[in-house]
Amino acid sequence: MRGQQTPEGVERARLRATAAAFTSLMALAATGLVAGPAVGAPSAGPCALPRTAAHHSLGLDTWNGAYPKPVRSLDAVMIFLSFPDSPPLTSPDELAADYFPGTSDFFRRASYGRFTLRPHAQREWTRMPKASTAYAIQRDWDARKRTAYLRDAIAAANRTVDFSRYDIVYLVADPDAPGVDSDATKVVNLEHPLTVDGKEIRRVVTVFERHPPDRNVLAHETGHVFDLPDLYHRPMDGKGDWDTHVGDWDVMGSQFGLAPEPFGWHKWKLGWLERRQVTCVQGPGTRLFSLEPLAAAPVAGGTVGNRLAVVRTGTGTALAIEARGSTGNDQDTCTEGVLIYRVRNEAASGDGPIEVVDTHPRTEACRERSVYPPLADAPLGVGETFTVPGEGARVEVADRSTAGVWTVKVTVPAES
């Protein structure tokens, strides 16, 4: 019979187990993750693109089981990391207030109340064993340095945190430490899950933001935890405009966007829209339908009406159509109207899986506020018609009711 371990002995055993697990993961932390198992078809239909092996594929006929699906309450632990080379100038409570309840409110509105993000912020600093400069933190991080950071952070936090209680892990570095680079905030996926306290950790959100942080930055990073892709365009040399694909539309394009509400396609993928709330336009001909503003709260009784229309344009492509108005997460939008965008299921995160169609290519709007003014006036207004280049589909905005519901006519030509 083994002798009883003291609490300190238990703690040391846990730390040894954590360190051993991380040692086996050296250099295996990556920003990509292989396609996971298919789980349940989320209201698929003829307009739902199939999921592919692309990282964060926007195919939605099945769910990637390697990611938690945000259709229930999920618990997130927020751990604050300090370093021996820099006494913190802020408190964990102050930093937690930078992100919550704002991030939870964002997802509550975006999901129409179907998803609750429950934060559990630690009240004390977790001390890292090395100076902040020792980890060489930067946007394109050396894999070994990044793995060492994760190993040390999880081991240090495991003294006080029971990871088995949480679905999401946020590691927040002291923003004033000299080695912390605010451009390095990202989700790190692990090719092989790490088991700590009996819980598999597949990915960690590493936060290196300033205080106060970029607006909606945690909502953007949390979107990756739910298998949503980056929608921005990253210039090859790191210079130039990053927002040419979607502009202000959707938080996965820019956390600074004026209209950060997730696209209707994303909501369909996440389970926040059901098939009955998506109009599927099939075959040639003309279809007339109504669209409620995407970011509008459900009417009394929690009813959500039609929020998205889809025109299938190929085996892996589609046109999506939705109404955007100044309400909810979009209350600061530059323009209102009917937005059109292309979706590609084989385009990986950062490779343009969604591209907004500019229906006013000769003009721009909100130059002083927009992240990309040429797309700020992309939506169509009442009485306007636009034929999508390369697709031939014609979209006409016929009306907008006093309640804010848009009437849209879509004409798909016969194949030549």
Side-chain angles (χ1 to χ4, degrees):
M1 181 177 180
R2 295 179 182 176
Q4 289 185 328
Q5 285 187 303
T6 64
E8 183 182 28
V10 172
E11 177 182 289
R12 288 177 177 172
R14 292 172 70 194
L15 291 176
R16 282 196 298 270
T18 302
F22 254 116
T23 299
S24 68
L25 285 173
M26 287 299 289
L28 292 180
T31 56
L33 195 72
V34 294
V39 176
S43 305
C47 284
L49 300 179
R51 182 164 66 89
T52 69
H55 183 41
H56 294 316
S57 169
L58 283 183
L60 46 70
D61 63 330
T62 58
W63 178 258
N64 187 340
Y67 294 85
K69 192 170 184 179
V71 289
R72 58 181 177 87
S73 295
L74 295 175
D75 291 286
V77 62
M78 181 166 272
I79 299 163
F80 301 94
L81 305 174
S82 65
F83 304 87
D85 60 331
S86 180
L89 302 179
T90 54
S91 69
D93 285 348
E94 289 177 288
L95 294 181
D98 283 343
Y99 304 104
F100 293 102
T103 304
S104 295
D105 290 343
F106 179 92
F107 284 111
R108 174 183 50 78
R109 290 188 293 262
S111 68
Y112 311 119
R114 294 188 174 192
F115 165 54
T116 300
L117 177 61
R118 296 190 300 216
H120 302 268
Q122 300 299 291
R123 306 299 299 272
E124 304 293 337
W125 287 101
T126 293
R127 178 92 162 185
M128 292 285 278
K130 299 176 183 176
S132 61
T133 53
Y135 299 102
I137 299 165
Q138 57 184 343
R139 182 178 181 88
D140 295 314
W141 209 348
D142 175 81
R144 293 185 65 84
K145 293 287 188 181
R146 181 181 59 209
T147 301
Y149 179 85
L150 295 177
R151 177 195 63 212
D152 289 350
I154 296 296
N158 202 29
R159 298 186 181 98
T160 57
V161 174
D162 180 359
F163 285 93
S164 68
R165 298 175 52 198
Y166 305 109
D167 306 288
I168 301 169
V169 177
Y170 298 118
L171 297 178
V172 182
D174 176 8
D176 298 302
V180 171
D181 180 358
S182 62
D183 199 37
T185 294
K186 67 168 52 180
V187 174
V188 178
N189 292 311
L190 302 175
E191 290 187 28
H192 302 284
L194 170 69
T195 300
V196 184
D197 296 332
K199 180 82 170 187
E200 279 195 349
I201 299 177
R202 295 177 177 270
R203 59 195 52 82
V204 177
V205 184
T206 54
V207 181
F208 300 103
E209 295 296 302
R210 295 177 291 268
H211 170 62
D214 290 347
R215 180 164 58 96
N216 285 329
V217 65
L218 200 65
H220 174 98
E221 299 302 337
T222 305
H224 291 315
V225 176
F226 304 143
D227 199 21
L228 295 186
D230 280 321
L231 300 183
Y232 53 72
H233 158 69
R234 184 177 183 182
M236 293 298 293
D237 59 0
K239 302 176 182 178
D241 205 312
W242 290 57
D243 303 304
T244 57
H245 287 328
V246 302
D248 293 278
W249 312 98
D250 197 303
V251 74
M252 301 311 295
S254 173
Q255 59 259 39
F256 301 107
L258 300 177
E261 182 79 350
F263 284 124
W265 189 275
H266 280 170
K267 296 190 181 207
W268 193 14
K269 175 179 177 175
L270 297 177
W272 300 342
L273 288 179
E274 300 174 5
R275 184 177 174 182
R276 62 184 176 84
Q277 293 154 335
V278 178
T279 295
C280 182
V281 180
Q282 302 180 68
T286 298
R287 181 78 180 271
L288 190 70
F289 52 87
S290 296
L291 288 172
E292 295 180 354
L294 185 68
V299 297
T303 302
V304 177
N306 195 46
R307 301 284 171 113
L308 177 67
V310 177
V311 181
R312 187 74 174 267
T313 57
T315 56
T317 60
L319 284 179
I321 304 166
E322 63 195 38
R324 304 297 288 258
S326 55
T327 186
N329 290 327
D330 281 353
Q331 63 180 348
D332 294 326
T333 187
C334 176
T335 56
E336 297 182 306
V338 173
L339 192 70
I340 308 167
Y341 51 94
R342 295 183 175 91
V343 183
R344 298 187 295 155
N345 66 349
E346 293 188 354
S349 178
D351 290 341
I354 289 181
E355 294 183 351
V356 167
V357 175
D358 188 355
T359 66
H360 303 99
R362 296 181 180 85
T363 62
E364 58 184 44
C366 300
R367 174 163 286 279
E368 300 302 318
R369 299 190 298 129
S370 171
V371 300
Y372 189 62
L375 285 181
D377 63 348
L380 286 174
V382 173
E384 294 185 317
T385 301
F386 186 82
T387 299
V388 181
E391 313 295 349
R394 187 172 73 249
V395 181
E396 176 186 348
V397 181
D399 188 27
R400 184 187 187 186
S401 72
T402 55
V405 178
W406 301 75
T407 300
V408 181
K409 181 188 295 185
V410 173
T411 301
V412 178
E415 294 184 7
S416 58

